[in-house]
Amino acid sequence: MKKFMVWGCLILALLSTVDGADKNKFSFTSDGARAQMNTTFGVTWAKRIQQGFNLKLWLSSQMAMGIEAWDPFAVPPNTCATPGIGMEYPAGSCIEHLFGAAPVIGGIINGRVYVDVGYNDDARMVFLPEKQDTTRDKIWRTQTGPEEYHPNGDGYSGYYYIHGIRVNRRGVDDDGDGRIDEDELDGQDNDGDWNPLIDDIGADGLPDSLEVSCDGKPYDAVTNPDPAYDDYDPARYDSCHPVSPGIYRLKNDKNLYTERNGMPDHGEPHVDEDYGAQSDQDIYIGVTDTFTSYFVPGHIPMGIKIFQKTYAWRDPSVNAIIPMDYLFTNVGRDTIEKIYLGMFADFDVGPVSVPGYPAHNYKCYMPDVRCGYINNSVDSGSTPAGLVFLGGSKPLDSLQIVWQGDFVSGLPVNDSILYFLLNGIAEPGNLIAPCQSPSSPADARFWFAFGPFGTLKPGDTVRMSVAFVSGMSVADMANNAQRAIDLYNNHYVLSVRNEPPPLPTEYRLDQNHPNPFNPSTEVTYSLEKASNVILKVYDLLGREVATLVNGGNQPGEHSVTWNAQNVPSGVYFYRLSAGTFVETKKMVVMK
């Protein structure tokens, strides 16, 4: 009762400081009510996919994960009891871990607080693709086994399988150009083979505002969705690219015409066809917040595009870890200030065969590995579930970390209250909540937030990285949390800890990371022997923009950071000269 009164007084005080339009937007809604509302309004549910090997996690293109990645009428296929498994560890154990989790972004636009959550339990669903950009909100993954696509076959006809072809595979030269994994699945032309005659403007496989029709009409999602006339549309002639004067081809060649053609990449025949996977199974999801929730009258999306990249390995030393990179891009017209990022996690840990197992949970935080976790202290065989903060687009020592429990049932919930949870005002002086006693279990969940990340202008991107972890015990999970941090610091490249890497046997210039970026990126290069190194950045006109390295380097791997804060958005080239070795790669500044 005391806790309820404290929360009630705090919320009344906070509500008095915000715009009246933000008050009492909505309250929590039960699963049954949500299911009825989705049926009533005919909402199209998102795509969903499973990630991981020994730790298995369901993801969806609405940015919800766990059981919340599924609609109320579907059950993930498994051998366990209904309603299925949202996250399982170890695989086949029927130990559930996650009812639902999702990323959160909050900020201030023109003096008003906004928060977007890719989660259904607060009844928003703001990242659920519903409108025109549904064609943009997709799931891409590494292609393995008989589900692979090969451009020389007819879609998924079996050509790839009969001929033993593996495409979009890690460590394979898929496109036969003598290079391996040079084109990451990020919508950019990393290997330089974009062809403006047949590929979309921007080399990302998606129609956008940069495209203009051959008759001069600009892109419009409704009236002119294919201005470049390069989308697959077998019944329509390509009137923008005549084969000869007065002769036009039908847009029925899937190798030439791209968007919505069924290819498991961004759609371009010359973009991302040699996908350089970070892990044994990468899954990339893109989604925007265009959904106006029926539960929140007057809700206005922030104008945020999220790109989620998740990774999983078969290696036993890291197969209880699923890292996630999030890129939040401001695709709206307004500047967003005082950005906070975070995750909401509703872990339900325990054997699904035990009635009421979610109420046997307790939550705790391990500061040494920045891991909030939930464990089952009652039911035998339970394994814990944790969420680790790996890093962001600002240094860790400049970010505030907030870890708090969920709301008291029945209290009003709105953007302002959620924002106060993210920025720590809801618990002043106590940003990290105390651990719950294992001897007093309950149905536990928490908010995990980081910031501030400053100002996000239109076109700017801010980054957050987290990891889901588990283990056979809390101590084992803590070790896996540290391994997740090590993986992140090593750019998700597996290596033996505490052992120096072998010296490279060749000269190599790697793709910068991240790319696109704002404002900083890291360039890594390898030297077979001691060399005089010159590393410079040029613009599209060949003008020198920056000198990153000019001097002698010892053999080994080297990295240098370029801060492009003072240069405009656009495409740039970086060129490495080391002895007789010369190589140039492309990078994209996106502000």
Side-chain angles (χ1 to χ4, degrees), residues 555-586:
E557 184 176 283
H558 303 267
S559 295
V560 60
T561 299
W562 181 42
N563 189 317
Q565 185 173 2
N566 297 323
V567 304
S569 298
V571 177
Y572 294 85
F573 299 92
Y574 58 104
R575 184 173 186 266
L576 175 71
S577 299
T580 60
F581 175 81
V582 178
E583 187 168 355
T584 303
K585 288 184 178 291
K586 184 167 60 177

Side-chain angles (χ1 to χ4, degrees), residues 118-398:
Y119 188 71
N120 292 339
D121 210 30
D122 66 1
R124 294 178 176 222
M125 302 181 295
V126 295
F127 288 117
L128 180 62
E130 180 208 31
K131 298 189 177 180
Q132 288 297 325
D133 62 341
T134 300
T135 56
R136 293 169 176 261
D137 300 339
K138 300 179 177 179
I139 294 177
W140 304 281
R141 65 183 177 91
T142 50
Q143 301 298 304
T144 57
E147 292 302 318
E148 292 168 358
Y149 174 88
H150 191 270
N152 293 332
D154 180 15
Y156 293 87
S157 65
Y159 179 97
Y160 40 82
Y161 183 69
I162 296 172
H163 292 76
I165 296 172
R166 296 292 183 266
V167 298
N168 287 345
R169 292 295 301 275
R170 184 169 177 250
V172 175
D173 178 16
D174 300 311
D175 56 354
D177 63 356
R179 293 179 290 176
I180 293 174
D181 296 343
E182 77 276 8
D183 211 344
E184 185 189 4
L185 190 59
D186 59 1
Q188 301 298 322
D189 179 27
N190 297 305
D191 60 355
D193 58 2
W194 170 59
N195 185 339
L197 296 178
I198 59 175
D199 294 336
D200 276 332
I201 300 297
D204 61 0
L206 301 175
D208 53 42
S209 58
L210 296 177
E211 291 191 9
V212 178
S213 295
C214 50
D215 57 6
K217 295 180 180 179
Y219 165 80
D220 183 272
V222 177
T223 63
N224 193 24
D226 182 23
Y229 265 64
D230 52 8
D231 287 357
Y232 179 72
D233 193 349
R236 188 181 297 271
Y237 284 96
D238 181 358
S239 61
C240 278
H241 305 99
V243 178
S244 59
I247 304 298
Y248 303 92
R249 65 164 65 92
L250 286 170
K251 299 196 298 178
N252 59 0
D253 185 343
K254 291 183 178 181
N255 293 315
L256 293 178
Y257 300 97
T258 57
E259 181 74 3
R260 298 184 296 276
N261 66 355
M263 289 186 181
D265 54 20
H266 286 67
E268 294 300 315
H270 298 295
V271 176
D272 296 321
E273 79 285 7
D274 198 355
Y275 166 34
Q278 292 281 356
S279 70
D280 294 324
Q281 179 168 284
D282 292 12
I283 294 177
Y284 293 2
I285 299 175
V287 69
T288 51
D289 65 339
T290 56
F291 192 91
T292 302
S293 175
Y294 299 110
F295 293 95
V296 191
H299 174 76
I300 301 174
M302 295 173 66
I304 294 294
K305 174 81 174 182
I306 297 186
F307 198 46
Q308 177 194 62
K309 305 168 71 172
T310 74
Y311 316 103
W313 292 266
R314 291 185 176 88
D315 189 305
S317 67
V318 291
N319 67 12
I321 301 168
I322 297 180
M324 297 184 171
D325 289 336
Y326 287 99
L327 301 176
F328 300 82
T329 300
N330 183 355
V331 295
R333 299 178 180 178
D334 299 312
T335 295
I336 309 174
E337 300 177 316
K338 299 180 180 178
I339 294 289
Y340 284 84
L341 307 176
M343 297 286 293
F344 174 71
D346 185 359
F347 290 113
D348 286 346
V349 174
V352 295
S353 59
V354 176
Y357 70 88
H360 303 161
N361 293 178
Y362 70 94
K363 60 179 178 292
C364 194
Y365 182 74
M366 294 185 288
D368 292 345
V369 286
R370 302 187 297 275
C371 178
Y373 71 93
I374 287 179
N375 193 24
N376 187 313
S377 57
V378 177
D379 302 317
S380 176
S382 298
T383 53
L387 186 65
V388 183
F389 176 47
L390 301 176
S393 50
K394 288 181 64 176
L396 283 173
D397 57 9
S398 65

